[in-house]
């Protein structure tokens, strides 16, 4: 087991393709084996990029890890990202939940006073396992 902290990038594919992340929980997490070229990252190179494709599981690896930090550049620290349903819910550590369309207008915030340009979330992981071969 790798005990150092590692970084991951959560870049939404929308349409219920993304994983729900919960701060402090040890979860099975799906990552790209080789990230697609069309996924835009910023200036930092993460250790992992979360998997979010419907039609291919061949470019995927599963690991167990604990989410110790999630930060969105505009929203700030997050406690949870809930991706179950036609809307995604972002729960800032301090503040009200943010409801985002994930179907008709992916990335569109329902709160008209809030404009988010990019939905990339920087995630810090601890206790990252080696790839899990037998995933149920």
């Amino acid at each position: 087991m790798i005990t150092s902290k590692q970084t991951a990038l959560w870049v939404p594919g929308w349409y219920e393709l993304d994983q729900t992340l919960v701060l402090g929980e040890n979860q099975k997490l799906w990552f790209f084996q080789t990230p697609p070229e069309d996924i835009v990252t910023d200036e930092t190179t993460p250790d992992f990029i979360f998997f979010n494709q419907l039609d291919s599981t061949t470019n995927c690896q599963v690991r167990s890890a604990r989410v110790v930090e999630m930060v969105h550049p505009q929203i700030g620290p997050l406690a949870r990202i809930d991706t179950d349903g036609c809307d995604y819910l972002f729960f800032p550590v301090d503040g009200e939940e943010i409801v985002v369309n994930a179907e008709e207008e992916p990335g569109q915030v329902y709160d008209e006073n809030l404009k988010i340009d990019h939905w990339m979330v920087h995630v810090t992981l601890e206790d990252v396992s080696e790839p899990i071969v037998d995933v149920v």
Side-chain angles (χ1 to χ4, degrees):
M1 181 164 310
I2 303 167
T3 55
S4 65
K5 292 184 179 176
Q6 293 187 282
T7 59
L9 206 52
W10 185 91
V11 182
W14 307 110
Y15 306 100
E16 290 187 275
L17 297 177
D18 305 289
Q19 299 166 70
T20 291
L21 298 178
V22 181
L23 193 64
E25 279 195 11
N26 197 351
Q27 300 174 254
K28 279 186 185 171
L29 301 170
W30 281 252
F31 301 104
F32 281 107
Q33 191 75 37
T34 305
E37 292 178 13
D38 64 339
I39 288 192
V40 178
T41 61
D42 56 15
E43 67 279 351
T44 61
T45 303
D47 297 308
F48 302 103
I49 295 180
F50 286 95
F51 186 78
N52 64 5
Q53 290 187 346
L54 183 62
D55 57 353
S56 171
T57 56
T58 58
N59 185 21
C60 179
Q61 61 175 304
V62 179
R63 294 173 183 250
S64 173
R66 186 172 59 253
V67 176
V68 294
E69 184 178 51
M70 294 182 284
V71 179
H72 182 276
Q74 288 177 264
I75 300 170
L78 298 168
R80 179 181 177 94
I81 301 171
D82 189 339
T83 62
D84 189 26
C86 296
D87 296 324
Y88 284 9
L89 303 175
F90 290 77
F91 295 89
V93 170
D94 298 317
E96 299 289 316
E97 75 180 43
I98 298 167
V99 182
V100 182
N101 185 292
E103 291 286 331
E104 288 103 24
E105 297 179 76
Q108 183 67 42
V109 181
Y110 288 109
D111 181 346
E112 295 172 8
N113 298 323
L114 185 60
K115 173 140 174 45
I116 304 292
D117 298 319
H118 302 287
W119 284 103
M120 186 182 314
V121 175
H122 295 269
V123 180
T124 304
L125 304 169
E126 273 185 348
D127 300 332
V128 179
S129 73
E130 293 300 321
I132 300 169
V133 178
D134 222 4
V135 180
V136 178

